[in-house]
Amino acid sequence: MIGYGLPHFPMTRASSVDDSSGVVARLIGVLGSERVHTHPLDLLVFGKDAGVTPGEAAVVVLPESTDEVAAVVRVATAAGVPVVARGAGTGLAGGAVPTSACVLVVLTRMNEIFEVDEVGRTAWVGAGLVNEALSNAVADHGLLFAPDPASQQTATIGGNVGTNAGGPHCLAEGSTIAHVLGMEVVTGDGEVMMVGGAAPDPLGYDLRGLFVGSEGTLGIVTRVLVRLVEVPPQLETMLISFVDVSDAARAVSEVIAEGVVPAALELMDGPMIEAVENFVHAGLPVGPGAVLLAEVSGHSVGVAADAALVREIAVLNGATEIRVARDEDDRALLWKGRKAAFGAIAQSAPDYYLNDTVVPRTRFVDVLDEIYAIAERYELRLLNLIHAGDGNFHPIVSYDAAEAGMTEKVIDATHEMVRAAVAAGGTLSGEHGIGIEKRDLMPEVFSADDLDAQERIRDAFDPLRLLNPGKVLPEGSRCLDRPPT
Amino acid sequence: MIGYGLPHFPMTRASSVDDSSGVVARLIGVLGSERVHTHPLDLLVFGKDAGVTPGEAAVVVLPESTDEVAAVVRVATAAGVPVVARGAGTGLAGGAVPTSACVLVVLTRMNEIFEVDEVGRTAWVGAGLVNEALSNAVADHGLLFAPDPASQQTATIGGNVGTNAGGPHCLAEGSTIAHVLGMEVVTGDGEVMMVGGAAPDPLGYDLRGLFVGSEGTLGIVTRVLVRLVEVPPQLETMLISFVDVSDAARAVSEVIAEGVVPAALELMDGPMIEAVENFVHAGLPVGPGAVLLAEVSGHSVGVAADAALVREIAVLNGATEIRVARDEDDRALLWKGRKAAFGAIAQSAPDYYLNDTVVPRTRFVDVLDEIYAIAERYELRLLNLIHAGDGNFHPIVSYDAAEAGMTEKVIDATHEMVRAAVAAGGTLSGEHGIGIEKRDLMPEVFSADDLDAQERIRDAFDPLRLLNPGKVLPEGSRCLDRPPT
């Protein structure tokens, strides 16, 4: 069981921090009382994300500049109080959920676009800027920010950085790490540091891979230098139906094997299609075992050739229907079903639990079969949404947590699914991060020596363990007492 | 002055290590006497790379497995003796040149290809495998290893990893970091650790950026899981002449601004063309101010469209001649001049010194003018070879070190060129690494806090500073005594 057994704090905790250490008073001194919140409801609301694990902060602050963040960190760490950074709270793995009484730094007010270099195709933005707001702001230059998590209308760039977020279009473009050139970071001692920069390969040790995906455990990213990409001048979007999900999976493998990397290649299985169709009536073909949403994009006539190849492979693998978007409205309709998936799931049952394991393409069909078998054995309702091009599974169990023992059953089943993916050479997470939810599964893919290396990094930047404690790494990963060899 | 003032060790040093600590005897115990060398000539030969800084090892060892490397590291570090790893010694910045009496670990015998996954397009290879040997070995699968440094016929994959090597085709494909999925690393305490893995985004902290480009200062990479790319089915190669080098530079900027990323875009200036033509008689058009070698590759008819666009932009910017390769022989001829550049330089004067700064594309022409002015002021012979697509300059000064004061003059001039690039928003190195040569220039681009972060990483993995000491970071980068704020 992971992510459970967290301490539930009494509502008076905020004032107890205030009493014992004067942290709240000093935070008010830095930010003013308008931007320091200790009301129990604020602590509850900001203490949650979009996942299943509850948490609660001791005090919530809303800084508006890097200097303010640095001052907040100095106040908190001087008093030995943990600091947790948070964006819009759309995370699914509990990465921004406090595991102990902390200062919760909400970065949503730091949503400025400081600079856009349309020739160099970069922008300096605040960590609190909403993902989609950036793409909207640079659309006039024919540019966009490529990572497109399902939550992009709400999620912040800082949150994308914290979890190394992905999205349907990250198949061809790469996840957030491929789009972050530099970061301004507030360290655990309240200093401001630059990580990376405009050069594609930074000098010395490239620290960007440490900070992107580190969920605020090494520092708080306050400003980000992002790479922008050109809005593709040509685009072809297709919705392809299959009777059997394994036919669709085989078609995906063959497309990739042919060397075509579509801009997106999304798979929904039968139950997922049905839920979506009941919710948004996007005109998805209810009945088939699976639909594949394929988008090919680029500069030239190559787009038409690639799209034709995708269709040819689909037909050879038993596609029963292929719809091609003729215009923007059509394209929006084809995407509507995919984008509404989480709303549809939420409508169909009170609760859902999802994982995001990654499976090698060669084992795609086997693992999918195994995941279905596990759901059947546990008698659970399973819907599948898959970033199929890179084998990033999102098996979603839809359930009612009010049923006795149901949550435990769902978590047990989901962990079996994760282990099936790992046993097939896959990994724990494609894009949602480790957070609380998967922390204790890390030893399934890392040896003691590997985890020790991870802990060394944490020790280097957060020796006191005051930056988002209890995340990413399981307890006791350091091998300090290893006998000499 | 950098890279000079190194201690010159007496020839008896090898036996002095042997005497005082028994390290050589213990190394012979691990590897046998055939693979442990202390002959002064071996120490001299293996102590140099292709750059200008001399060095010399205390003992040279040739391990054949990761376990042997681990055993060597344990023997050396237990005695407090530094360990320097080395591949073929083609480095240009002194990264593998010992700065103190050390155990020099030559990895060239670890040149095995352990596994090729032609579907997943990856291979596990030994660090000592020669770059080109890998591409040759996987050619039958239609695959290749994309990084193509000029030294690729000799340089090892491990050396490419150590310096994050680039090459002409890294414009579109990215430098070595984009092609390394995982690494087996021997740590400073002689343990074996895995960094990264087959998944595109590793869990936890992504340590790959630390190890790729770290020049053996954090551990010794013994095996590498590399990404392979498809041999492009279509290719168009062009040699374009310009009267003025700034016309060529402007054409490059416009090609990139149009969103076309050619597979390669290499610029040679007039003096460079002349030297090459005198050497290999590749039929380069002697006379013009610059030639641009442009290669466009891909899957589809898009290649022809992109190539036409490159030609159109070239003509609009004053191109005087465009040659298009009609077949493989033609293509080889067009590339011959570029690939023979270093041989040509070596033939034209006894010594050369080159830097590899990167300049933002928007400042390309200004910085080039400034570099020419600096060479003129110092009365030095300057040849330019530029990975133009990403603004990676290689200004080469060709000289005779036997002339009194000449080496110092060349280094002073080169540093002025580097500073001009940095002042224009550029950076110290595109692909050759920091090594000894650029170590002391690091504070030009890093603040004290930034360098401190780099040192924390080194402390995390090499607290005793026994792994390739004196490289990458300047002395005294840690801010341990900073007053509390």
Side-chain angles (χ1 to χ4, degrees), chain A residues 148 166-175 252 255-256 260-266 295 361 387-391:
Chain A
D148 59 341
H169 286 93
C170 292
L171 172 59
E173 295 286 356
S175 52
V252 166
V255 166
I256 301 287
V260 176
V261 182
L265 205 48
E266 299 284 304
E295 189 162 275
R361 273 192 301 274
H387 297 318
D390 48 11

Side-chain angles (χ1 to χ4, degrees), chain A residues 165-441:
Chain A
H169 286 93
C170 292
L171 172 59
E173 295 286 356
S175 52
T176 302
I177 181 69
H179 303 275
V180 171
L181 293 167
M183 284 160 278
E184 186 181 69
V185 180
V186 173
T187 62
D189 50 6
E191 300 290 331
V192 178
M193 183 174 94
M194 279 293 301
V195 171
D201 296 301
L203 302 172
Y205 308 126
D206 185 351
L207 309 183
R208 294 176 302 187
L210 300 184
F211 284 87
V212 176
S214 67
E215 303 181 8
T217 59
L218 304 179
I220 299 180
V221 173
T222 51
R223 298 203 308 159
V224 190
L225 176 64
V226 296
R227 196 166 74 85
L228 301 170
V229 301
E230 206 189 11
V231 175
Q234 291 193 38
L235 208 58
E236 193 160 327
T237 310
M238 296 162 276
L239 190 75
I240 309 170
S241 306
F242 295 87
V243 174
D244 195 302
V245 69
S246 60
D247 291 342
R250 216 172 29 250
V252 166
S253 288
E254 288 182 21
V255 166
I256 301 287
E258 276 299 315
V260 176
V261 182
L265 205 48
E266 299 284 304
L267 198 157
M268 291 189 279
D269 70 357
M272 188 75 244
I273 300 166
E274 206 182 315
V276 164
E277 199 44 33
N278 287 340
F279 182 53
V280 291
H281 313 292
L284 294 182
V286 179
V291 295
L292 197 60
L293 182 67
E295 189 162 275
V296 176
S297 73
H299 245 274
S300 67
V301 282
V303 170
D306 284 354
L309 185 64
V310 169
R311 284 192 293 270
E312 190 186 319
I313 290 171
V315 169
L316 288 173
N317 283 284
T320 54
E321 192 196 346
I322 300 179
R323 287 194 217 165
V324 180
R326 286 151 310 174
D327 53 32
E328 281 307 311
D329 288 347
D330 246 22
R331 189 184 334 282
L333 192 68
L334 295 190
W335 272 103
K336 189 178 175 189
R338 169 62 185 82
K339 294 204 168 174
F342 287 98
I345 297 159
Q347 193 214 33
S348 69
D351 301 284
Y352 67 85
Y353 191 87
L354 98 144
N355 255 291
D356 77 316
T357 57
V358 179
V359 173
R361 273 192 301 274
T362 45
R363 301 295 308 280
F364 196 108
V365 176
D366 307 348
V367 174
L368 196 55
D369 286 347
E370 214 170 326
I371 286 174
Y372 281 122
I374 292 165
E376 200 169 335
R377 187 150 29 82
Y378 279 86
E379 297 175 335
L380 291 169
R381 180 165 181 244
L382 179 72
L383 307 88
N384 272 290
L385 189 68
I386 306 175
H387 297 318
D390 48 11
N392 186 188
F393 281 49
H394 289 1
I396 301 153
V397 179
S398 167
Y399 67 105
D400 183 352
E403 277 186 51
M406 193 47 133
T407 303
E408 290 71 17
K409 189 165 136 179
V410 168
I411 290 177
D412 287 350
T414 305
H415 285 188
E416 269 198 47
M417 294 173 192
V418 172
R419 290 200 172 91
V422 171
T427 190
L428 295 178
S429 170
E431 59 188 9
H432 298 171
I434 300 301
I436 300 170
E437 308 274 332
K438 287 171 177 169
R439 185 184 54 182
D440 296 327
L441 289 168

